[in-house]
């Protein structure tokens, strides 16, 4: 695809639209330009240029993608609602519902407030994917917006340049690749590379230019040989050379750990022919002329990539012993490789024309569907990164159908890619007719047969090795339902037991009276009531006491008060956000302190367990994220908390006394101590200390480390 330069007038924009769409509504485009120009009239970009140059350039890039008139108009208007006094209703009234939807979708990706920049970035991408699933034109307009911003990035401060470039490299470039837009992916990568590693980029740019000049004569010679043999064999084809994009060359240097001088295929030769059959005929011709390099042949015609990319790739030893890469494809394959989804997005002025190929959307719809219940935007973003830029393996069903899976995928991933029930009921697998473990990592060319058993259910352990988002989402969904069932059963059992203990009928567990008593806890139905009790969110004692006469509850109140006092002593200084009257305790795996970032995990029957956010017990792959609750420290400066500290020292007399003296200086009490010696003449002390907060702990540990003979001081956490 030929990428044209940015345009700077509305007449140039209309000329470019007419070059591929003679039915374009030019009146709409002129009105959109005039409105945007008026709205942004007083605004300037960071480089000092009039702001209208940006929406005009965005519209021009959309023309490069041969987009419909409404998309181009939305490109002209995309910043009006965000940056001016314009409203979404104004756009709808003047330009119609379709354009208003596109502009509003772009606006919603920016108009949000967050606690941290990481949260903002993550939530923006979450919304972008949800908008994409509704209308793919949103992402194409966003691509155009980001591309022009990248082309003018030099006007921003260095820190901002690198942040935006890294975001483009991590998300936008692989997403453009996933949607098959090859030219856009390459430009995103090269521009990001330029700003992330400017010196490396400049050095590589100079070396490529030099090598291109050196190889110009050689390339011309090879092209003439190929053209002559194609003509002699009566195979139609166009032959031309192209320099690989800079970041692709840099990646090869890093992956193979070689210098630029050892990258032989900086220039690739592309041959465009008429049919898939002739692609293979051309390949045979090339291999008859020169020796192919073993292991450097890839057939993406017979096994297309997930983004529908098709081409034959082969590297040969050409004239004078030089390595040359050939790419062989048809005109249609070349168009899809460069334009991707944009090649399928053809809109007529009077309604939609060509239907878009569902293969572009199946992965996106499946991904968005699987992530709808992911509450954490940052977790969603990590899932995005894993889903749009996977290194893949190609495997086969027993019937010979090709399935593409990420590198490291297992038979369980394969089973869920076939159907959810096949995944749930998977008990084993055969790969190439041999039984393999479910943890087996699939290899290119494997043929897989899944063994199922009716009534079999997923295992939580599967989350430790599955790779695909579909498998993870389906397993978590099943576990979440099962956890609720268990909480429901446990809560009902606890409630009925408590009712019997207080000489009340167990039938009250499902009565209107019990729901009335639970109203202060915002409980709406019996199932929610039982789950709340089963998860420990609601004290069954308080609920029962509200049903009993005062005379009967006195003794129970006394017992409850003692329990609450003990709980208060154990979990002092902790506040669970938005929840009252809930049991909780500090976990003994990580011993959280005031000053630590903490979270709560709702257990079954024991209330909320408080952990540090990085506690290994809370591995997000093995727990139900819906059972996590927000927690913060309440201000209780006099309270102390147990914490584990390990000190490694040389084995000499008097060190324990010195350590104890430091602790005494900081008014830190030792509640437990274990000491041992090692074969290397070292001593290991394991303390459990009573500490006020993280600051006191850090100061104490720093002072302990300064003692002569102390090798290491560390806090012990799970």
């Amino acid at each position: 695809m030929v990428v044209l330069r940015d345009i700077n007038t509305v007449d140039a924009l209309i000329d470019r639209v007419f070059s591929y769409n003679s039915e374009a509504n030019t009146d709409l485009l002129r009105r959109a330009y005039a409105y945007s120009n008026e709205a942004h009239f007083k605004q300037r970009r960071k480089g000092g240029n009039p702001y209208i140059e940006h929406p005009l350039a965005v519209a021009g890039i959309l023309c490069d993608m041969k987009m419909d008139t409404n998309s181009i108009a939305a490109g002209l208007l995309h910043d009006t609602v965000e940056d001016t006094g314009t409203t979404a209703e104004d756009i709808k009234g003047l330009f119609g519902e379709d354009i208003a939807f596109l502009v509003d979708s772009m606006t919603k990706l920016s108009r949000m407030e967050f606690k941290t920049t990481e949260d903002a970035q993550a939530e923006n991408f979450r919304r972008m994917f949800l908008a994409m699933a509704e209308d793919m034109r949103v992402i194409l307009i966003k691509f155009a917006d980001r591309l022009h911003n990248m082309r003018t990035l030099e006007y921003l401060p260095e820190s901002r340049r690198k942040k935006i470039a890294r975001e483009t490299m991590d998300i936008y470039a692989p997403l453009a690749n996933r949607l098959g837009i090859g030219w856009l992916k390459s430009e995103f990568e090269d521009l990001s590379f330029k700003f992330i590693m400017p010196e490396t980029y400049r050095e590589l740019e100079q070396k490529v230019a030099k090598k291109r000049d050196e190889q110009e004569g050689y390339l011309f010679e090879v092209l003439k040989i190929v053209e002559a043999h194609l003509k002699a064999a009566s195979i139609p084809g166009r032959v031309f050379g192209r320099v690989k994009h800079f970041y692709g060359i840099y990646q090869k240097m890093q992956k193979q750990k070689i210098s630029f001088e050892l990258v032989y295929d900086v220039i690739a030769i592309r041959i465009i022919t008429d049919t898939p059959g002739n692609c293979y005929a051309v390949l045979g011709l090339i291999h008859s002329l020169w020796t192919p390099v073993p292991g450097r042949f890839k057939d993406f015609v017979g096994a297309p990539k997930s983004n529908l990319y098709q081409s034959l790739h082969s590297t040969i030893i050409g004239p004078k012993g030089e390595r040359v890469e050939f790419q062989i494809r048809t005109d249609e394959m070349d168009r899809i490789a460069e334009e991707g989804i944009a090649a399928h997005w053809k809109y007529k002025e009077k309604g939609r024309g060509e239907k878009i190929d569902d293969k572009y959307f199946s992965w996106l719809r499946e991904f968005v569907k699987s992530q709808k219940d992911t509450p954490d935007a940052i977790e969603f973003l990590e899932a995005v990164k894993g889903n749009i830029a996977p290194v893949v393996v190609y495997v086969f069903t027993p019937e010979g159908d090709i399935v593409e899976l990420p590198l490291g995928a297992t038979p369980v991933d394969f089973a869920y890619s076939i159907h959810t029930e096949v995944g749930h009921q998977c008990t084993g697998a055969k790969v190439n007719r041999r039984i393999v473990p479910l943890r087996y990592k699939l290899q290119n060319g494997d043929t897989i047969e899944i063994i199922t058993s009716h009534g079999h259910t997923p295992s939580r352990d599967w989350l430790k090795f599955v790779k695909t988002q579909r498998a993870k989402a389906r397993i978590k969904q099943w576990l979440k339902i099962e956890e609720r069932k268990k909480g429901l059963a446990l809560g009902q059992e606890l409630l009925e037991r408590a009712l019997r203990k207080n000489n009340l009928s167990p039938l009250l567990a499902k009565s209107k009276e019990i729901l009335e008593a639970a109203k202060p806890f915002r409980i709406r139905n019996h199932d929610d009531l039982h789950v709340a009790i089963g998860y420990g969110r609601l004290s069954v004692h308080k609920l029962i006491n509200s049903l009993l006469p005062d005379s009967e509850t006195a003794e129970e109140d006394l017992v409850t008060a003692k329990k609450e006092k003990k709980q208060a002593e154990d979990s002092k200084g902790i506040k669970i956000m938005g929840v009252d009257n809930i049991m909780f305790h500090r976990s003994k795996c990580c011993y959280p302190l005031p000053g630590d970032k903490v979270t709560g995990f709702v257990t079954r029957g024991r209330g909320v367990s408080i952990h540090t956010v990085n506690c290994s017990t809370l591995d997000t792959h093995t727990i139900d994220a819906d059972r996590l609750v927000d927690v913060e420290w309440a201000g209780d400066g006099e309270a102390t908390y147990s914490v584990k500290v390990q000190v490694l020292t040389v084995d000499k007399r008097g060190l324990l006394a010195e350590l104890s003296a430091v602790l005494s200086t900081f008014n830190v009490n030792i509640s437990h101590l274990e000491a041992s010696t090692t074969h290397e003449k070292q001593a290991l002390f394991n303390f459990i200390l009573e500490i006020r907060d993280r600051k006191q702990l850090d100061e104490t540990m720093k002072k302990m480390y300064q003692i002569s003979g102390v090798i290491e001081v560390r806090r012990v956490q799970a």
Side-chain angles (χ1 to χ4, degrees):
M1 176 177 176
V2 177
V3 182
L4 304 175
R5 289 185 301 173
D6 293 339
I7 58 176
N8 51 22
T9 68
V10 68
D11 289 329
L13 174 69
I14 288 171
D15 287 344
R16 195 178 295 184
V17 175
F18 268 143
S19 70
Y20 68 88
N21 184 1
S22 60
E23 299 177 7
N25 185 344
T26 57
D27 176 62
L28 174 66
L29 295 178
R30 288 189 184 279
R31 286 193 297 111
Y33 170 78
Y35 190 90
S36 182
N37 190 30
E38 179 67 24
H40 294 295
F41 183 71
K42 295 181 180 180
Q43 296 176 342
R44 297 266 167 180
R45 301 205 84 209
K46 294 291 184 183
N49 296 347
Y51 195 91
I52 188 60
E53 290 186 8
H54 171 63
L56 201 51
V58 169
I61 294 168
L62 291 168
C63 288
D64 291 343
M65 299 183 195
K66 297 182 172 59
M67 293 297 290
D68 65 297
T69 311
N70 281 3
S71 296
I72 298 167
L76 288 167
L77 298 163
H78 78 275
D79 276 337
T80 52
V81 175
E82 181 184 352
D83 294 341
T84 73
T86 303
T87 67
E89 287 301 314
D90 293 336
I91 299 296
K92 183 177 178 180
L94 291 168
F95 300 100
E97 192 170 335
D98 188 49
I99 293 174
F101 166 77
L102 295 173
V103 174
D104 189 47
S105 295
M106 291 288 291
T107 304
K108 284 177 179 176
L109 299 182
S110 304
R111 188 178 281 179
M112 294 184 296
E113 295 181 3
F114 300 94
K115 294 178 182 178
T116 67
T117 54
E118 290 79 10
D119 288 340
Q121 181 202 47
E123 185 59 30
N124 279 339
F125 282 117
R126 181 191 181 98
R127 292 200 174 208
M128 184 171 75
F129 270 76
L130 294 174
M132 281 167 57
E134 190 169 350
D135 192 324
M136 287 299 295
R137 291 178 297 170
V138 173
I139 190 58
L140 297 176
I141 299 169
K142 188 64 180 176
F143 276 158
D145 177 45
R146 175 54 62 111
L147 181 58
H148 186 249
N149 284 334
M150 288 297 296
R151 287 175 177 175
T152 56
L153 204 58
E154 68 270 15
Y155 297 110
L156 296 181
E158 184 181 1
S159 60
R160 286 275 294 150
R161 289 202 301 265
K162 289 196 172 183
K163 179 182 178 297
I164 293 170
R166 173 52 62 191
E167 183 180 274
T168 302
M169 182 73 84
D170 289 347
I171 301 292
Y172 287 94
L175 183 54
N177 181 56
R178 194 69 171 82
L179 296 175
I181 312 176
W183 71 269
L184 185 60
K185 174 246 187 189
S186 297
E187 188 167 355
F188 273 151
E189 287 183 339
D190 280 352
L191 287 170
S192 300
F193 180 33
K194 177 180 177 180
F195 291 107
I196 293 170
M197 292 179 280
E199 292 181 9
T200 306
Y201 177 87
R202 280 193 294 270
E203 182 181 340
L204 188 60
E205 186 180 32
Q206 292 167 3
K207 288 180 177 179
V208 169
K210 184 179 178 182
K211 192 160 188 174
R212 182 172 49 202
D213 293 341
E214 292 172 352
Q215 289 192 335
E216 194 170 323
Y218 177 81
L219 183 65
F220 182 76
E221 178 188 342
V222 174
L223 292 176
K224 288 300 178 185
I225 293 171
V226 173
E227 286 173 344
H229 281 82
L230 286 174
K231 187 175 181 180
S234 299
I235 301 175
R238 304 192 314 276
V239 187
F240 55 92
R242 67 173 191 92
V243 177
K244 290 188 173 181
H245 73 293
F246 298 134
Y247 187 66
I249 297 169
Y250 173 77
Q251 279 184 306
K252 177 168 285 192
M253 291 165 59
Q254 295 300 303
K255 185 177 181 180
Q256 299 181 7
K257 295 182 171 58
I258 57 176
S259 64
F260 175 78
E261 288 68 31
L262 295 177
V263 180
Y264 298 108
D265 48 358
V266 170
I267 298 176
I269 293 178
R270 186 172 294 172
I271 302 174
I272 307 296
T273 186
D274 58 346
T275 66
N278 273 338
C279 288
Y280 291 99
V282 171
L283 178 71
L285 181 65
I286 298 300
H287 284 183
S288 70
L289 292 172
W290 298 293
T291 304
V293 178
R296 294 302 308 276
F297 167 66
K298 294 178 181 177
D299 183 355
F300 296 118
V301 173
K305 291 185 177 183
S306 58
N307 61 7
L308 304 191
Y309 177 89
Q310 288 184 284
S311 187
L312 298 177
H313 292 191
S314 184
T315 301
I316 54 92
I317 306 295
K320 303 177 185 177
E322 294 280 350
R323 293 191 180 198
V324 181
E325 182 185 83
F326 281 87
Q327 298 174 352
I328 307 164
R329 59 182 71 154
T330 66
D331 271 307
E332 178 66 8
M333 291 175 190
D334 191 54
R335 186 171 72 96
I336 297 299
E338 291 301 308
E339 300 176 22
I341 191 174
H344 286 254
W345 200 266
K346 292 189 178 298
Y347 269 72
K348 305 288 186 182
E349 290 307 309
K350 296 180 181 179
R352 293 190 181 187
E354 179 181 335
K355 185 181 178 182
I356 305 158
D357 197 317
D358 268 349
K359 290 182 181 178
Y360 277 119
F361 299 96
S362 58
W363 72 271
L364 172 65
R365 291 185 182 127
E366 184 60 44
F367 174 75
V368 170
K369 185 179 177 182
S370 71
Q371 295 297 318
K372 266 191 173 178
D373 294 329
T374 302
D376 190 317
I378 293 178
E379 183 184 338
F380 181 93
L381 180 56
E382 289 307 310
V384 167
K385 290 178 181 179
N387 198 266
I388 63 175
V391 181
V392 299
V393 293
Y394 295 95
V395 296
F396 296 91
T397 69
E399 292 75 30
D401 296 326
I402 296 175
V403 177
E404 180 187 295
L405 293 168
L407 186 67
T410 66
V412 177
D413 293 291
F414 177 85
Y416 277 104
S417 74
I418 302 302
H419 193 277
T420 298
E421 286 306 312
V422 175
H424 285 351
Q425 297 176 15
C426 174
T427 58
K430 290 182 181 180
V431 171
N432 305 325
R433 299 184 179 180
R434 296 178 61 185
I435 295 286
V436 297
L438 291 180
R439 291 174 177 267
Y440 170 82
K441 292 183 178 180
L442 300 172
Q443 307 296 314
N444 271 318
D446 281 346
T447 298
I448 310 160
E449 179 184 349
I450 298 298
I451 302 168
T452 61
S453 174
H454 183 69
H456 186 268
T457 57
S459 166
R460 186 177 293 278
D461 287 341
W462 291 359
L463 290 170
K464 296 176 182 177
F465 58 78
V466 293
K467 290 291 181 182
T468 61
Q469 290 303 316
R470 179 186 176 94
K472 289 177 183 177
R474 294 295 184 270
I475 296 165
K476 286 181 178 179
Q477 184 182 42
W478 187 89
L479 290 172
K480 182 179 177 181
I481 292 169
E482 287 303 300
E483 289 284 356
R484 181 174 172 85
K485 286 180 182 176
K486 290 177 182 177
L488 186 67
L490 177 62
Q492 187 170 342
E493 181 186 340
L494 291 173
L495 179 55
E496 289 178 357
R497 190 187 302 167
L499 287 167
R500 288 192 188 96
K501 184 179 177 182
N502 288 276
N503 299 317
L504 295 172
S505 170
L507 296 176
L508 281 171
K510 293 188 176 181
S511 68
K512 290 182 180 179
E513 291 87 345
I514 204 81
L515 284 182
E516 282 296 318
K519 266 189 176 180
F521 304 99
R522 297 178 183 175
I523 301 292
R524 296 181 179 178
N525 56 55
H526 292 102
D527 281 357
D528 288 348
L529 171 63
H530 299 153
V531 169
I533 293 171
Y535 279 176
R537 295 186 185 131
L538 175 59
S539 166
V540 70
H541 302 294
K542 286 192 174 182
L543 187 64
I544 297 296
N545 288 349
S546 65
L547 294 171
L548 295 172
D550 291 344
S551 59
E552 296 182 39
T553 62
E555 184 177 346
E556 187 68 31
D557 286 345
L558 182 60
V559 173
T560 303
K562 287 180 179 179
K563 286 184 178 179
E564 289 179 347
K565 182 181 179 184
K566 184 178 183 302
Q567 178 199 333
E569 290 171 353
D570 180 52
S571 52
K572 55 205 168 194
I574 292 171
K575 180 182 179 184
I576 299 175
M577 304 301 290
V579 182
D580 296 319
N581 303 316
I582 187 168
M583 300 182 290
F584 52 91
H585 59 276
R586 289 171 61 245
S587 68
K588 293 185 179 179
C589 50
C590 55
Y591 286 100
L593 285 174
D596 290 332
K597 290 184 178 179
V598 289
T599 189
F601 179 68
V602 180
T603 65
R604 288 197 300 273
R606 295 181 56 244
V608 175
S609 177
I610 311 300
H611 299 257
T612 58
V613 292
N614 58 355
C615 177
S616 62
T617 305
L618 296 183
D619 182 351
T620 55
H621 294 299
T622 59
I623 66 165
D624 180 359
D626 281 353
R627 292 169 64 186
L628 294 175
V629 293
D630 291 334
V631 171
E632 69 176 20
W633 293 102
D636 187 355
E638 298 304 315
T640 59
Y641 305 83
S642 298
V643 63
K644 280 187 178 180
V645 173
Q646 190 176 83
V647 183
L648 181 66
T649 73
V650 296
D651 188 12
K652 71 174 187 178
R653 289 185 178 181
L655 264 178
L656 179 56
E658 291 186 60
L659 291 169
S660 298
V662 167
L663 295 172
S664 179
T665 301
F666 282 92
N667 198 27
V668 173
N669 185 48
I670 303 172
S671 63
H672 183 76
L673 168 64
E674 292 179 2
S676 60
T677 57
T678 70
H679 295 298
E680 294 81 15
K681 293 185 179 180
Q682 294 176 341
L684 189 64
F685 299 98
N686 286 299
F687 294 94
I688 295 183
L689 306 175
E690 295 300 319
I691 298 287
R692 285 195 309 275
D693 53 30
R694 179 68 178 269
K695 181 180 178 183
Q696 186 188 32
L697 176 65
D698 291 344
E699 291 173 349
T700 304
M701 290 174 62
K702 183 178 179 182
K703 196 67 176 178
M704 293 169 80
Y705 187 71
Q706 292 172 356
I707 296 173
S708 176
V710 172
I711 300 169
E712 181 185 44
V713 181
R714 71 183 188 92
R715 180 181 177 184
V716 180
Q717 290 181 287

